[in-house]
Amino acid sequence: MTAPALPTTGREWHLLSRPVGWPKPEDFALVETEVPAPAEGQVLVRNAYLSVDPYMRGRMSAAKSYVAPYELGKAMQGGAVGEVVASNADGISPGDHVLHFFGWREYAVVDAKNAVKVDPEAAPLSAYLGVLGMTGLTAYAGLLRTASFKEGDSVFVSGAAGAVGSQVGQLAKLKGASRVIGSAGSDEKVKLLVEEYGFDAAFNYKTGPVSEQLRAAAPDGVDVYFDNVGGDHLEAAIGSLNRDGRIAVCGMISVYNNTEPAPGPRNLARLIQTRGRIEGFLVGDHYDLQPQFVQEVGPWVRSGELKYRETVVEGIENNLEAFLGVLRGDNTGKMIVKL
């Protein structure tokens, strides 16, 4: 039996110009390109699922940041999981499934050292991009290490129906939080947080001032705030912070497309009386927690104790629209592109 022919071309998304404000379709192009054979130490992967995430907006800018900007005229990058169709590396064989960082394309040639084998029998492949992947580890590290969560804490999560936020709230509950409050952008998502994810309270930030809604949901204040939004949410959290409260800054999606600097919280002086702490973090600084994370969270995912949602968009031609949907908040849980 002859081996199937390897692909010679595949489609990938290129960044043509750096967006100003909201990204526009003309800033991007879906390009047909040659697929090279894997060189020594490399594997060729047929991507099955691609990740789109808010941080990608920052990489579209030339501004100096914690990760290099996307190069103009070249394929963009992002989390992806797929099947190895050719291997020129020890330890990885055709038919294996791997997690890697060359998304936004149908086929990827990846250095084997940058590919992590995953088991499709242990969890659905797409889960390795979300609940058991980077977003899950982000939630775990931010809550437990950066925010120093401890049993009995009251926790507020913004963007709580998203991939990271929904996991933060559930982890806090599983680890003994006294109260978990979430904010989201629709009544449907608020209902999901309380009825499916087990949050004690949730509110729609579009229906009234965040500070007032937070005080009503957490009359005794909050000990931990996990920030995915910034802006009025961060100011509200500082206003409700208890003595020795901790704020972990994961993202600030409310300001990503601003063309002018956003005003900062007006009540930072309150941190003096509360002895509060604000600390930003990047998941890349906490990969040492990965084994512990998978060992602890994996069983909760398999048992159904930790629930997760995915919003799945079909087809690489819709990759850009899926990304824009994340910036608009169209997704519930992790936004995934299925190829």
Side-chain angles (χ1 to χ4, degrees):
M1 182 176 173
T2 56
L6 296 180
T8 57
T9 63
R11 291 175 293 171
E12 59 187 30
W13 281 94
H14 287 196
L15 182 66
L16 300 184
S17 57
R18 302 204 180 277
V20 177
W22 272 88
K24 301 181 293 295
E26 52 267 33
D27 295 323
F28 308 85
L30 182 59
V31 177
E32 183 97 16
T33 187
E34 286 189 20
V35 176
E40 177 108 17
Q42 293 184 325
V43 296
L44 174 60
V45 183
R46 179 192 296 114
N47 286 333
Y49 295 94
L50 308 176
S51 177
V52 286
D53 303 279
Y55 79 87
M56 293 174 173
R57 177 61 185 87
R59 296 196 68 184
M60 294 171 188
S61 164
K64 188 174 182 180
S65 184
Y66 60 86
V67 63
Y70 290 133
E71 294 185 58
L72 293 180
K74 293 190 178 180
M76 294 186 290
Q77 298 171 336
V81 63
E83 181 181 355
V84 175
V85 294
S87 175
N88 200 358
D90 294 334
I92 301 180
S93 305
D96 287 343
H97 291 84
V98 296
L99 174 67
H100 61 89
F101 208 66
F102 290 86
W104 289 84
R105 68 200 80 189
E106 291 178 304
Y107 292 92
V109 174
V110 184
D111 290 343
K113 64 183 180 182
N114 296 327
V116 178
K117 287 169 71 169
V118 297
D119 183 1
E121 301 296 320
L125 280 179
S126 58
Y128 294 102
L129 294 176
V131 68
L132 290 177
M134 185 177 72
T135 51
L137 181 60
T138 300
Y140 188 86
L143 179 69
L144 302 183
R145 179 175 279 174
T146 306
S148 305
F149 171 85
K150 59 184 184 297
E151 187 176 351
D153 278 344
S154 172
V155 178
F156 172 43
V157 188
S158 59
V164 173
S166 59
Q167 202 154 339
V168 171
Q170 291 182 84
L171 286 173
K173 290 292 290 184
L174 286 164
K175 286 186 160 289
S178 61
R179 188 166 178 80
V180 174
I181 303 102
S183 74
S186 73
D187 292 342
E188 183 183 11
K189 289 180 179 179
V190 167
K191 186 177 179 184
L192 173 73
L193 291 176
V194 175
E195 295 184 1
E196 186 166 329
Y197 293 152
F199 281 59
D200 297 291
F203 59 85
N204 181 347
Y205 67 85
K206 295 178 180 177
T207 61
V210 176
S211 57
E212 293 178 11
Q213 295 196 78
L214 178 58
R215 278 197 298 271
D220 297 323
V222 296
D223 302 299
V224 168
Y225 170 48
F226 193 104
D227 190 16
N228 291 305
V229 174
D232 54 355
H233 281 74
L234 178 56
E235 185 170 293
I238 293 171
S240 285
L241 205 63
N242 288 333
R243 166 77 189 262
D244 298 316
R246 289 88 66 204
I247 295 174
V249 181
C250 176
M252 292 196 174
I253 198 169
S254 69
V255 303
Y256 285 169
N257 292 304
N258 288 2
T259 56
E260 297 291 330
R266 296 165 295 181
N267 57 349
L268 282 172
R270 195 166 184 279
L271 294 174
I272 301 168
Q273 68 187 81
T274 61
R275 290 72 150 181
R277 169 168 63 85
I278 301 180
E279 183 177 342
F281 75 99
L282 295 173
V283 66
D285 296 334
H286 301 282
Y287 282 132
D288 61 298
L289 290 176
Q290 179 77 25
Q292 175 185 323
F293 159 67
V294 173
Q295 183 179 12
E296 185 170 18
V297 175
W300 285 335
V301 173
R302 286 191 290 276
S303 70
E305 290 175 270
L306 197 152
K307 300 173 174 61
Y308 68 99
R309 289 280 191 99
E310 293 173 340
T311 300
V312 179
V313 172
E314 301 253 357
I316 193 168
E317 63 276 7
N318 295 313
N319 213 105
L320 176 60
E321 181 54 33
F323 167 69
L324 296 175
V326 170
L327 297 184
R328 290 191 300 261
D330 294 350
N331 56 305
T332 299
K334 184 77 184 79
M335 181 73 90
I336 299 283
V337 178
K338 180 181 180 182
L339 303 192

